[in-house]
Amino acid sequence: MTARPRLRRIAPFGLRTRLVLAFLLVAFVSAGTTAALTYREARSAVLASAQDTAVVSFREQVEGLGTGLPVDPQPLRELLFNIASKSKPHPWVVFAEYGSLRISSGQNPTSTVITPELRRAALTSAHGSFQRVVSDGTPYLTIGMPVTARTGEGTSLPSGLVLFAVMRMTDEQANVDALLTAARDGALPGLAVALVPALLAARSVLRPVRELRGAARSMGSGRLDTRIKVRGRDELADLARTFNESAGELERSVDELQQAEARARRFASDVSHELRTPLAGMLAVTEVLDEDAAGLDPDTARAVRLISAETGKLADLVEDLMEISRFDARAAELNTDEVDAAETVHKTLHNRHWDGRVHTELPEGVRVRLDPRRFDVVVANLVGNALRHGAEPVTVSMSVSEDMLVTEVADSGPGIRPDVLPHIFDRFYKADAARTRSAGSGLGLAITLENVRLHGGTVRAGNGPHGGAVFTVAIPLRGGPEAGEVPA
């Protein structure tokens, strides 16, 4: 039989995918963290540079004022224009607040971006305060400085006049946005580039895993001499070495078991062969003794019949052992012929004088290609098992299903216990542990299983819906393996 190639299925989230995703995740987190930190530091540097320049320049100009009290609006406006003309790094709009007086160097006397918090901080701090504000999407730097009035003794007192400078920071915001775009655009190609080492790393990890999988599959198919090439000194190399050591131990153990099994087979076969000749003589003697048993005294006659019965059982056991030995040695052969299925079953029952004890439901005209002798053994073993361990009536029925000849042997006994079913075809298995001996050899069902397999069929045991054991044999109508071929 030609083995069909096994299709390789790739899991959508297999080890390769998970390794690549993990690698890309690490690269993404690293790139994202680096970009975020770089962006934050660059943004702070850009804003701080403009902010410090503006605050220092505005403070120097405000501290250099010599405003007297009370405040005159017109000179104050000219002063504001003068301060605004010296603004840096960008143009300012300067506002003055003194009591209810509001004056500016721009068109509006007051500013909407100067917050109450900045006003309070400017009034309470001698060195002023500043604040960044975003209004309608536009960033501003607002600075508040109190103006002091000098006294005649050379001291300075708060005049109550506060000057504010409002500077747009659109250029700085544009630079910050450019930094953000550069960080984002730099991270995305970095992830694409990281895909290449991710694939290479996944390949280097998966290659020994694939080799291990192939080696395990090879060993599962029976090639116990399979080994993996060890590369490097990492954990995967240790795994390969461990696999090779385990495979070597397994190969040695299997070799020992096979040799022991072969010795056991040879022993059983040799013993069976050696017993056949003396058993043949013993059977001939017991037949003569059986004929003369009627003329012997009762005790001697009973002993003679017991010896004859036990000798017959021993002969059956030897024959069954020889048959099992042929199966184990793969020396069993099929000699197939096209026969009438119903007629074959009737012959089996008639030859064993079971015609009146077994009910049959056999369709006429069903032709099947099989080995008549081995099929006779199958039916005889199943019917004999039903008569010995089940209860009458025993029914043998046949049907054809999907090019298979299905034969069922059912009895009316208590059925098979669930714990017995998995072992029903084991050699010498006893369903009742207390029963040391049985009428059969203990190999009948095992021989039945081997004969059915030899035909390329199946046999299973179960219980009928109304009780009783049911054995079902399915054999191909057109025959299984060719004559002389032993299925693997």
Side-chain angles (χ1 to χ4, degrees):
M1 182 181 295
T2 303
R4 291 183 299 177
R6 182 175 297 180
L7 296 178
R8 182 181 174 189
R9 295 185 299 173
I10 302 298
F13 290 99
L15 184 58
R16 175 193 290 274
T17 305
R18 294 199 298 270
L19 285 173
V20 172
L21 290 178
F23 199 98
L24 290 180
L25 179 61
V26 172
F28 175 78
V29 171
S30 301
T33 303
T34 303
L37 293 175
T38 302
Y39 167 75
R40 187 183 68 178
E41 294 300 323
R43 177 177 180 272
S44 299
V46 169
L47 295 179
S49 176
Q51 171 184 292
D52 293 346
T53 301
V55 170
V56 170
S57 176
F58 187 64
R59 179 181 290 118
E60 290 176 351
Q61 295 190 55
V62 172
E63 288 178 351
L65 293 179
T67 305
L69 296 176
V71 175
D72 188 353
Q74 186 59 33
L76 179 59
R77 181 182 296 273
E78 295 177 358
L79 184 61
L80 296 181
F81 280 113
N82 183 46
I83 295 175
S85 64
K86 300 177 182 179
S87 58
K88 59 180 181 180
H90 305 298
W92 303 334
V93 177
V94 184
F95 298 85
E97 295 184 0
Y98 180 75
S100 60
L101 179 64
R102 300 291 186 269
I103 301 175
S104 75
S105 62
Q107 296 179 353
N108 298 319
T110 58
S111 173
T112 59
V113 298
I114 299 176
T115 63
E117 292 81 7
L118 181 62
R119 288 189 173 93
R120 287 193 295 270
L123 287 173
T124 56
S125 174
H127 300 287
S129 182
F130 63 91
Q131 188 177 31
R132 288 199 294 267
V133 181
V134 177
S135 177
D136 297 330
T138 303
Y140 295 91
L141 174 66
T142 56
I143 310 170
M145 291 287 175
V147 178
T148 58
R150 293 183 177 83
T151 62
E153 291 79 9
T155 59
S156 298
L157 295 175
S159 65
L161 174 64
V162 180
L163 300 185
F164 297 93
V166 177
M167 182 182 72
R168 286 176 178 264
M169 301 188 72
T170 53
D171 291 345
E172 285 74 16
Q173 185 62 41
N175 292 335
V176 169
D177 293 341
L179 287 173
L180 179 61
T181 302
R184 181 191 61 199
D185 294 345
L188 293 179
L191 290 177
V193 172
L195 182 62
V196 175
L199 292 173
L200 294 176
R203 180 183 178 184
S204 65
V205 172
L206 289 178
R207 182 175 58 190
V209 174
R210 289 197 196 97
E211 292 178 354
L212 180 62
R213 180 186 62 186
R217 184 176 296 168
S218 178
M219 290 189 64
S221 63
R223 295 188 290 272
L224 299 181
D225 58 344
T226 303
R227 298 294 184 271
I228 301 175
K229 185 177 181 181
V230 180
R231 301 181 180 90
R233 298 182 178 179
D234 56 6
E235 291 81 358
L236 292 174
D238 291 339
L239 178 60
R241 277 190 288 270
T242 303
F243 176 87
N244 291 339
E245 293 171 0
S246 302
E249 291 294 331
L250 179 61
E251 185 178 14
R252 284 188 289 273
S253 299
V254 171
D255 287 341
E256 293 174 359
L257 289 175
Q258 288 176 343
Q259 292 173 7
E261 185 180 4
R263 289 193 297 269
R265 286 202 206 105
R266 284 197 303 271
F267 175 78
S269 179
D270 293 344
V271 169
S272 300
H273 279 288
E274 293 298 328
L275 287 176
R276 290 188 76 183
T277 300
L279 276 174
M282 292 174 64
L283 285 173
V285 173
T286 55
E287 288 179 2
V288 174
L289 291 176
D290 280 342
E291 293 176 358
D292 297 336
L296 301 174
D297 63 87
D299 291 340
T300 304
R302 190 163 45 253
V304 166
R305 293 189 180 94
L306 178 60
I307 292 173
S308 178
E310 294 300 323
T311 303
K313 291 180 182 179
L314 182 58
D316 291 339
L317 175 59
V318 170
E319 290 297 329
D320 288 345
L321 283 173
M322 290 186 65
E323 186 72 5
I324 284 292
S325 298
R326 282 190 287 269
F327 283 118
D328 290 342
R330 299 188 182 278
E333 296 182 353
L334 277 179
N335 297 306
T336 60
D337 192 10
E338 187 173 332
V339 298
D340 185 282
E343 183 180 346
T344 303
V345 174
H346 283 305
K347 285 181 180 179
T348 299
L349 300 179
H350 177 74
N351 292 337
R352 290 164 179 80
H353 309 289
W354 290 337
D355 306 70
R357 301 176 61 186
V358 178
H359 175 68
T360 58
E361 298 175 0
L362 308 175
E364 299 295 334
V366 177
R367 306 292 294 180
V368 58
R369 189 166 192 84
L370 46 72
D371 186 329
R373 185 186 70 82
R374 295 190 181 279
F375 188 68
D376 172 81
V377 172
V378 169
V379 175
N381 283 345
L382 294 180
V383 173
N385 184 76
L387 292 173
R388 281 193 302 271
H389 304 297
E392 299 184 30
V394 174
T395 302
V396 179
S397 60
M398 274 186 176
S399 62
V400 176
S401 174
E402 297 181 357
D403 295 331
M404 301 288 286
L405 176 66
V406 180
T407 306
E408 286 190 353
V409 177
D411 62 54
S412 303
I416 306 172
R417 298 198 311 269
D419 61 307
V420 175
L421 277 174
H423 311 285
I424 197 68
F425 294 102
D426 292 353
R427 301 174 184 181
F428 300 108
Y429 178 76
K430 294 182 176 63
D432 186 0
R435 190 185 69 211
T436 58
R437 299 191 65 229
S438 62
S441 65
L443 295 172
L445 291 180
I447 292 174
T448 297
L449 175 64
E450 297 295 343
N451 277 316
V452 173
R453 284 178 175 173
L454 198 61
H455 282 86
T458 59
V459 57
R460 65 179 185 274
N463 293 309
H466 304 294
V470 178
F471 288 84
T472 304
V473 176
I475 294 177
L477 284 173
R478 291 184 293 274
E482 295 295 329
E485 182 181 351
V486 180

PDB file of all heavy atoms in Angstrom, residues 14-46:
ATOM      1  N   GLY A  14       1.521  30.092  14.576  1.00  0.00           N
ATOM      2  CA  GLY A  14       2.527  29.106  14.932  1.00  0.00           C
ATOM      3  C   GLY A  14       3.724  29.748  15.596  1.00  0.00           C
ATOM      4  O   GLY A  14       3.761  30.954  15.886  1.00  0.00           O
ATOM      5  N   LEU A  15       4.726  28.914  15.837  1.00  0.00           N
ATOM      6  CA  LEU A  15       5.909  29.393  16.551  1.00  0.00           C
ATOM      7  C   LEU A  15       6.623  30.475  15.764  1.00  0.00           C
ATOM      8  O   LEU A  15       7.104  31.463  16.345  1.00  0.00           O
ATOM      9  CB  LEU A  15       6.850  28.205  16.811  1.00  0.00           C
ATOM     10  CG  LEU A  15       8.102  28.508  17.639  1.00  0.00           C
ATOM     11  CD1 LEU A  15       7.719  29.079  18.988  1.00  0.00           C
ATOM     12  CD2 LEU A  15       8.935  27.245  17.806  1.00  0.00           C
ATOM     13  N   ARG A  16       6.724  30.337  14.429  1.00  0.00           N
ATOM     14  CA  ARG A  16       7.383  31.364  13.619  1.00  0.00           C
ATOM     15  C   ARG A  16       6.667  32.701  13.767  1.00  0.00           C
ATOM     16  O   ARG A  16       7.302  33.744  13.998  1.00  0.00           O
ATOM     17  CB  ARG A  16       7.401  30.946  12.152  1.00  0.00           C
ATOM     18  CG  ARG A  16       7.967  32.041  11.230  1.00  0.00           C
ATOM     19  CD  ARG A  16       7.671  31.716   9.788  1.00  0.00           C
ATOM     20  NE  ARG A  16       8.438  30.594   9.312  1.00  0.00           N
ATOM     21  CZ  ARG A  16       9.663  30.691   8.816  1.00  0.00           C
ATOM     22  NH1 ARG A  16      10.259  31.867   8.725  1.00  0.00           N
ATOM     23  NH2 ARG A  16      10.304  29.639   8.388  1.00  0.00           N
ATOM     24  N   THR A  17       5.346  32.680  13.643  1.00  0.00           N
ATOM     25  CA  THR A  17       4.583  33.930  13.753  1.00  0.00           C
ATOM     26  C   THR A  17       4.751  34.559  15.116  1.00  0.00           C
ATOM     27  O   THR A  17       4.940  35.774  15.250  1.00  0.00           O
ATOM     28  CB  THR A  17       3.096  33.657  13.476  1.00  0.00           C
ATOM     29  OG1 THR A  17       2.963  33.014  12.200  1.00  0.00           O
ATOM     30  CG2 THR A  17       2.295  34.941  13.481  1.00  0.00           C
ATOM     31  N   ARG A  18       4.701  33.724  16.166  1.00  0.00           N
ATOM     32  CA  ARG A  18       4.840  34.280  17.514  1.00  0.00           C
ATOM     33  C   ARG A  18       6.230  34.862  17.752  1.00  0.00           C
ATOM     34  O   ARG A  18       6.379  35.898  18.400  1.00  0.00           O
ATOM     35  CB  ARG A  18       4.537  33.186  18.550  1.00  0.00           C
ATOM     36  CG  ARG A  18       3.094  32.721  18.525  1.00  0.00           C
ATOM     37  CD  ARG A  18       2.710  32.013  19.812  1.00  0.00           C
ATOM     38  NE  ARG A  18       3.484  30.821  20.032  1.00  0.00           N
ATOM     39  CZ  ARG A  18       3.157  29.607  19.618  1.00  0.00           C
ATOM     40  NH1 ARG A  18       2.041  29.451  18.932  1.00  0.00           N
ATOM     41  NH2 ARG A  18       3.912  28.561  19.878  1.00  0.00           N
ATOM     42  N   LEU A  19       7.264  34.195  17.226  1.00  0.00           N
ATOM     43  CA  LEU A  19       8.620  34.724  17.383  1.00  0.00           C
ATOM     44  C   LEU A  19       8.781  36.059  16.663  1.00  0.00           C
ATOM     45  O   LEU A  19       9.356  37.014  17.215  1.00  0.00           O
ATOM     46  CB  LEU A  19       9.634  33.717  16.851  1.00  0.00           C
ATOM     47  CG  LEU A  19       9.909  32.486  17.717  1.00  0.00           C
ATOM     48  CD1 LEU A  19      10.791  31.499  16.981  1.00  0.00           C
ATOM     49  CD2 LEU A  19      10.538  32.889  19.032  1.00  0.00           C
ATOM     50  N   VAL A  20       8.282  36.128  15.415  1.00  0.00           N
ATOM     51  CA  VAL A  20       8.396  37.375  14.662  1.00  0.00           C
ATOM     52  C   VAL A  20       7.620  38.490  15.349  1.00  0.00           C
ATOM     53  O   VAL A  20       8.101  39.625  15.477  1.00  0.00           O
ATOM     54  CB  VAL A  20       7.905  37.163  13.216  1.00  0.00           C
ATOM     55  CG1 VAL A  20       7.822  38.497  12.480  1.00  0.00           C
ATOM     56  CG2 VAL A  20       8.840  36.216  12.479  1.00  0.00           C
ATOM     57  N   LEU A  21       6.395  38.181  15.812  1.00  0.00           N
ATOM     58  CA  LEU A  21       5.600  39.201  16.494  1.00  0.00           C
ATOM     59  C   LEU A  21       6.270  39.664  17.787  1.00  0.00           C
ATOM     60  O   LEU A  21       6.250  40.856  18.112  1.00  0.00           O
ATOM     61  CB  LEU A  21       4.203  38.653  16.780  1.00  0.00           C
ATOM     62  CG  LEU A  21       3.287  38.457  15.561  1.00  0.00           C
ATOM     63  CD1 LEU A  21       1.947  37.869  15.990  1.00  0.00           C
ATOM     64  CD2 LEU A  21       3.069  39.779  14.831  1.00  0.00           C
ATOM     65  N   ALA A  22       6.844  38.709  18.530  1.00  0.00           N
ATOM     66  CA  ALA A  22       7.538  39.097  19.768  1.00  0.00           C
ATOM     67  C   ALA A  22       8.742  39.981  19.457  1.00  0.00           C
ATOM     68  O   ALA A  22       8.983  40.990  20.142  1.00  0.00           O
ATOM     69  CB  ALA A  22       7.974  37.844  20.529  1.00  0.00           C
ATOM     70  N   PHE A  23       9.485  39.630  18.416  1.00  0.00           N
ATOM     71  CA  PHE A  23      10.649  40.433  18.028  1.00  0.00           C
ATOM     72  C   PHE A  23      10.212  41.831  17.612  1.00  0.00           C
ATOM     73  O   PHE A  23      10.812  42.841  18.022  1.00  0.00           O
ATOM     74  CB  PHE A  23      11.385  39.733  16.875  1.00  0.00           C
ATOM     75  CG  PHE A  23      12.797  40.210  16.697  1.00  0.00           C
ATOM     76  CD1 PHE A  23      13.851  39.489  17.231  1.00  0.00           C
ATOM     77  CD2 PHE A  23      13.077  41.367  15.990  1.00  0.00           C
ATOM     78  CE1 PHE A  23      15.160  39.915  17.060  1.00  0.00           C
ATOM     79  CE2 PHE A  23      14.379  41.811  15.816  1.00  0.00           C
ATOM     80  CZ  PHE A  23      15.426  41.076  16.350  1.00  0.00           C
ATOM     81  N   LEU A  24       9.153  41.902  16.789  1.00  0.00           N
ATOM     82  CA  LEU A  24       8.666  43.209  16.343  1.00  0.00           C
ATOM     83  C   LEU A  24       8.096  44.012  17.503  1.00  0.00           C
ATOM     84  O   LEU A  24       8.212  45.243  17.528  1.00  0.00           O
ATOM     85  CB  LEU A  24       7.606  43.018  15.263  1.00  0.00           C
ATOM     86  CG  LEU A  24       8.109  42.489  13.914  1.00  0.00           C
ATOM     87  CD1 LEU A  24       6.953  42.356  12.942  1.00  0.00           C
ATOM     88  CD2 LEU A  24       9.175  43.402  13.334  1.00  0.00           C
ATOM     89  N   LEU A  25       7.469  43.331  18.464  1.00  0.00           N
ATOM     90  CA  LEU A  25       6.931  44.041  19.623  1.00  0.00           C
ATOM     91  C   LEU A  25       8.063  44.675  20.429  1.00  0.00           C
ATOM     92  O   LEU A  25       7.960  45.835  20.855  1.00  0.00           O
ATOM     93  CB  LEU A  25       6.139  43.069  20.500  1.00  0.00           C
ATOM     94  CG  LEU A  25       5.538  43.664  21.775  1.00  0.00           C
ATOM     95  CD1 LEU A  25       4.558  44.783  21.432  1.00  0.00           C
ATOM     96  CD2 LEU A  25       4.857  42.596  22.611  1.00  0.00           C
ATOM     97  N   VAL A  26       9.133  43.903  20.630  1.00  0.00           N
ATOM     98  CA  VAL A  26      10.286  44.466  21.352  1.00  0.00           C
ATOM     99  C   VAL A  26      10.880  45.644  20.577  1.00  0.00           C
ATOM    100  O   VAL A  26      11.203  46.699  21.154  1.00  0.00           O
ATOM    101  CB  VAL A  26      11.344  43.373  21.587  1.00  0.00           C
ATOM    102  CG1 VAL A  26      12.619  43.973  22.151  1.00  0.00           C
ATOM    103  CG2 VAL A  26      10.800  42.308  22.522  1.00  0.00           C
ATOM    104  N   ALA A  27      11.001  45.466  19.248  1.00  0.00           N
ATOM    105  CA  ALA A  27      11.536  46.557  18.430  1.00  0.00           C
ATOM    106  C   ALA A  27      10.618  47.768  18.478  1.00  0.00           C
ATOM    107  O   ALA A  27      11.080  48.915  18.553  1.00  0.00           O
ATOM    108  CB  ALA A  27      11.721  46.080  16.988  1.00  0.00           C
ATOM    109  N   PHE A  28       9.298  47.516  18.441  1.00  0.00           N
ATOM    110  CA  PHE A  28       8.346  48.631  18.486  1.00  0.00           C
ATOM    111  C   PHE A  28       8.422  49.369  19.817  1.00  0.00           C
ATOM    112  O   PHE A  28       8.431  50.610  19.855  1.00  0.00           O
ATOM    113  CB  PHE A  28       6.934  48.096  18.256  1.00  0.00           C
ATOM    114  CG  PHE A  28       5.863  49.137  18.408  1.00  0.00           C
ATOM    115  CD1 PHE A  28       5.619  50.061  17.403  1.00  0.00           C
ATOM    116  CD2 PHE A  28       5.106  49.207  19.568  1.00  0.00           C
ATOM    117  CE1 PHE A  28       4.631  51.032  17.542  1.00  0.00           C
ATOM    118  CE2 PHE A  28       4.122  50.173  19.719  1.00  0.00           C
ATOM    119  CZ  PHE A  28       3.881  51.088  18.702  1.00  0.00           C
ATOM    120  N   VAL A  29       8.467  48.609  20.918  1.00  0.00           N
ATOM    121  CA  VAL A  29       8.551  49.251  22.233  1.00  0.00           C
ATOM    122  C   VAL A  29       9.853  50.027  22.359  1.00  0.00           C
ATOM    123  O   VAL A  29       9.875  51.173  22.859  1.00  0.00           O
ATOM    124  CB  VAL A  29       8.423  48.186  23.347  1.00  0.00           C
ATOM    125  CG1 VAL A  29       8.718  48.809  24.710  1.00  0.00           C
ATOM    126  CG2 VAL A  29       7.030  47.582  23.338  1.00  0.00           C
ATOM    127  N   SER A  30      10.958  49.425  21.891  1.00  0.00           N
ATOM    128  CA  SER A  30      12.246  50.118  21.976  1.00  0.00           C
ATOM    129  C   SER A  30      12.255  51.382  21.127  1.00  0.00           C
ATOM    130  O   SER A  30      12.666  52.461  21.584  1.00  0.00           O
ATOM    131  CB  SER A  30      13.370  49.179  21.523  1.00  0.00           C
ATOM    132  OG  SER A  30      13.414  48.030  22.326  1.00  0.00           O
ATOM    133  N   ALA A  31      11.776  51.246  19.870  1.00  0.00           N
ATOM    134  CA  ALA A  31      11.754  52.411  18.992  1.00  0.00           C
ATOM    135  C   ALA A  31      10.802  53.473  19.512  1.00  0.00           C
ATOM    136  O   ALA A  31      11.096  54.672  19.477  1.00  0.00           O
ATOM    137  CB  ALA A  31      11.358  51.991  17.571  1.00  0.00           C
ATOM    138  N   GLY A  32       9.631  53.015  19.987  1.00  0.00           N
ATOM    139  CA  GLY A  32       8.661  53.976  20.504  1.00  0.00           C
ATOM    140  C   GLY A  32       9.171  54.701  21.730  1.00  0.00           C
ATOM    141  O   GLY A  32       8.999  55.916  21.868  1.00  0.00           O
ATOM    142  N   THR A  33       9.807  53.938  22.639  1.00  0.00           N
ATOM    143  CA  THR A  33      10.347  54.568  23.854  1.00  0.00           C
ATOM    144  C   THR A  33      11.463  55.552  23.512  1.00  0.00           C
ATOM    145  O   THR A  33      11.514  56.676  24.045  1.00  0.00           O
ATOM    146  CB  THR A  33      10.872  53.483  24.801  1.00  0.00           C
ATOM    147  OG1 THR A  33       9.826  52.561  25.104  1.00  0.00           O
ATOM    148  CG2 THR A  33      11.385  54.111  26.087  1.00  0.00           C
ATOM    149  N   THR A  34      12.362  55.136  22.633  1.00  0.00           N
ATOM    150  CA  THR A  34      13.451  56.028  22.224  1.00  0.00           C
ATOM    151  C   THR A  34      12.920  57.275  21.545  1.00  0.00           C
ATOM    152  O   THR A  34      13.362  58.401  21.832  1.00  0.00           O
ATOM    153  CB  THR A  34      14.403  55.284  21.278  1.00  0.00           C
ATOM    154  OG1 THR A  34      14.894  54.105  21.929  1.00  0.00           O
ATOM    155  CG2 THR A  34      15.553  56.164  20.873  1.00  0.00           C
ATOM    156  N   ALA A  35      11.953  57.085  20.637  1.00  0.00           N
ATOM    157  CA  ALA A  35      11.378  58.237  19.939  1.00  0.00           C
ATOM    158  C   ALA A  35      10.669  59.171  20.909  1.00  0.00           C
ATOM    159  O   ALA A  35      10.772  60.399  20.804  1.00  0.00           O
ATOM    160  CB  ALA A  35      10.417  57.766  18.848  1.00  0.00           C
ATOM    161  N   ALA A  36       9.939  58.594  21.879  1.00  0.00           N
ATOM    162  CA  ALA A  36       9.200  59.428  22.836  1.00  0.00           C
ATOM    163  C   ALA A  36      10.162  60.230  23.716  1.00  0.00           C
ATOM    164  O   ALA A  36       9.952  61.427  23.952  1.00  0.00           O
ATOM    165  CB  ALA A  36       8.295  58.550  23.692  1.00  0.00           C
ATOM    166  N   LEU A  37      11.210  59.548  24.207  1.00  0.00           N
ATOM    167  CA  LEU A  37      12.177  60.262  25.040  1.00  0.00           C
ATOM    168  C   LEU A  37      12.914  61.337  24.242  1.00  0.00           C
ATOM    169  O   LEU A  37      13.127  62.464  24.728  1.00  0.00           O
ATOM    170  CB  LEU A  37      13.176  59.269  25.643  1.00  0.00           C
ATOM    171  CG  LEU A  37      12.600  58.279  26.660  1.00  0.00           C
ATOM    172  CD1 LEU A  37      13.663  57.281  27.086  1.00  0.00           C
ATOM    173  CD2 LEU A  37      12.052  59.022  27.877  1.00  0.00           C
ATOM    174  N   THR A  38      13.298  60.987  23.013  1.00  0.00           N
ATOM    175  CA  THR A  38      13.986  61.970  22.170  1.00  0.00           C
ATOM    176  C   THR A  38      13.078  63.148  21.869  1.00  0.00           C
ATOM    177  O   THR A  38      13.502  64.321  21.930  1.00  0.00           O
ATOM    178  CB  THR A  38      14.434  61.299  20.855  1.00  0.00           C
ATOM    179  OG1 THR A  38      15.279  60.197  21.159  1.00  0.00           O
ATOM    180  CG2 THR A  38      15.181  62.289  19.981  1.00  0.00           C
ATOM    181  N   TYR A  39      11.825  62.854  21.560  1.00  0.00           N
ATOM    182  CA  TYR A  39      10.864  63.921  21.268  1.00  0.00           C
ATOM    183  C   TYR A  39      10.665  64.811  22.487  1.00  0.00           C
ATOM    184  O   TYR A  39      10.645  66.047  22.378  1.00  0.00           O
ATOM    185  CB  TYR A  39       9.541  63.302  20.836  1.00  0.00           C
ATOM    186  CG  TYR A  39       8.389  64.276  20.807  1.00  0.00           C
ATOM    187  CD1 TYR A  39       8.277  65.223  19.790  1.00  0.00           C
ATOM    188  CD2 TYR A  39       7.420  64.253  21.807  1.00  0.00           C
ATOM    189  CE1 TYR A  39       7.223  66.129  19.770  1.00  0.00           C
ATOM    190  CE2 TYR A  39       6.370  65.139  21.797  1.00  0.00           C
ATOM    191  CZ  TYR A  39       6.273  66.084  20.776  1.00  0.00           C
ATOM    192  OH  TYR A  39       5.233  66.970  20.760  1.00  0.00           O
ATOM    193  N   ARG A  40      10.532  64.193  23.660  1.00  0.00           N
ATOM    194  CA  ARG A  40      10.293  65.003  24.865  1.00  0.00           C
ATOM    195  C   ARG A  40      11.478  65.915  25.160  1.00  0.00           C
ATOM    196  O   ARG A  40      11.302  67.103  25.470  1.00  0.00           O
ATOM    197  CB  ARG A  40      10.035  64.077  26.050  1.00  0.00           C
ATOM    198  CG  ARG A  40       9.602  64.823  27.307  1.00  0.00           C
ATOM    199  CD  ARG A  40       9.425  63.883  28.459  1.00  0.00           C
ATOM    200  NE  ARG A  40      10.718  63.330  28.890  1.00  0.00           N
ATOM    201  CZ  ARG A  40      10.862  62.501  29.925  1.00  0.00           C
ATOM    202  NH1 ARG A  40       9.790  62.101  30.593  1.00  0.00           N
ATOM    203  NH2 ARG A  40      12.060  62.058  30.259  1.00  0.00           N
ATOM    204  N   GLU A  41      12.695  65.345  25.080  1.00  0.00           N
ATOM    205  CA  GLU A  41      13.862  66.155  25.378  1.00  0.00           C
ATOM    206  C   GLU A  41      14.053  67.255  24.337  1.00  0.00           C
ATOM    207  O   GLU A  41      14.360  68.415  24.678  1.00  0.00           O
ATOM    208  CB  GLU A  41      15.104  65.262  25.434  1.00  0.00           C
ATOM    209  CG  GLU A  41      15.105  64.265  26.577  1.00  0.00           C
ATOM    210  CD  GLU A  41      15.030  64.951  27.924  1.00  0.00           C
ATOM    211  OE1 GLU A  41      15.646  66.027  28.080  1.00  0.00           O
ATOM    212  OE2 GLU A  41      14.355  64.425  28.830  1.00  0.00           O
ATOM    213  N   ALA A  42      13.878  66.924  23.060  1.00  0.00           N
ATOM    214  CA  ALA A  42      14.036  67.942  22.017  1.00  0.00           C
ATOM    215  C   ALA A  42      12.968  69.011  22.136  1.00  0.00           C
ATOM    216  O   ALA A  42      13.234  70.213  21.950  1.00  0.00           O
ATOM    217  CB  ALA A  42      13.983  67.277  20.642  1.00  0.00           C
ATOM    218  N   ARG A  43      11.755  68.597  22.437  1.00  0.00           N
ATOM    219  CA  ARG A  43      10.665  69.581  22.594  1.00  0.00           C
ATOM    220  C   ARG A  43      10.956  70.529  23.757  1.00  0.00           C
ATOM    221  O   ARG A  43      10.772  71.749  23.647  1.00  0.00           O
ATOM    222  CB  ARG A  43       9.362  68.835  22.829  1.00  0.00           C
ATOM    223  CG  ARG A  43       8.143  69.730  23.078  1.00  0.00           C
ATOM    224  CD  ARG A  43       6.893  68.877  23.234  1.00  0.00           C
ATOM    225  NE  ARG A  43       5.724  69.691  23.466  1.00  0.00           N
ATOM    226  CZ  ARG A  43       5.305  70.098  24.653  1.00  0.00           C
ATOM    227  NH1 ARG A  43       6.009  69.766  25.730  1.00  0.00           N
ATOM    228  NH2 ARG A  43       4.233  70.843  24.771  1.00  0.00           N
ATOM    229  N   SER A  44      11.400  69.910  24.863  1.00  0.00           N
ATOM    230  CA  SER A  44      11.722  70.763  26.018  1.00  0.00           C
ATOM    231  C   SER A  44      12.858  71.730  25.684  1.00  0.00           C
ATOM    232  O   SER A  44      12.829  72.900  26.089  1.00  0.00           O
ATOM    233  CB  SER A  44      12.112  69.885  27.215  1.00  0.00           C
ATOM    234  OG  SER A  44      11.041  69.043  27.576  1.00  0.00           O
ATOM    235  N   ALA A  45      13.857  71.231  24.947  1.00  0.00           N
ATOM    236  CA  ALA A  45      14.977  72.089  24.596  1.00  0.00           C
ATOM    237  C   ALA A  45      14.531  73.228  23.684  1.00  0.00           C
ATOM    238  O   ALA A  45      14.937  74.394  23.859  1.00  0.00           O
ATOM    239  CB  ALA A  45      16.073  71.258  23.920  1.00  0.00           C
ATOM    240  N   VAL A  46      13.690  72.904  22.694  1.00  0.00           N
ATOM    241  CA  VAL A  46      13.228  73.936  21.764  1.00  0.00           C
ATOM    242  C   VAL A  46      12.403  74.978  22.495  1.00  0.00           C
ATOM    243  O   VAL A  46      12.591  76.207  22.339  1.00  0.00           O
ATOM    244  CB  VAL A  46      12.434  73.301  20.611  1.00  0.00           C
ATOM    245  CG1 VAL A  46      11.720  74.371  19.793  1.00  0.00           C
ATOM    246  CG2 VAL A  46      13.344  72.476  19.718  1.00  0.00           C
TER     247      VAL A  46
END
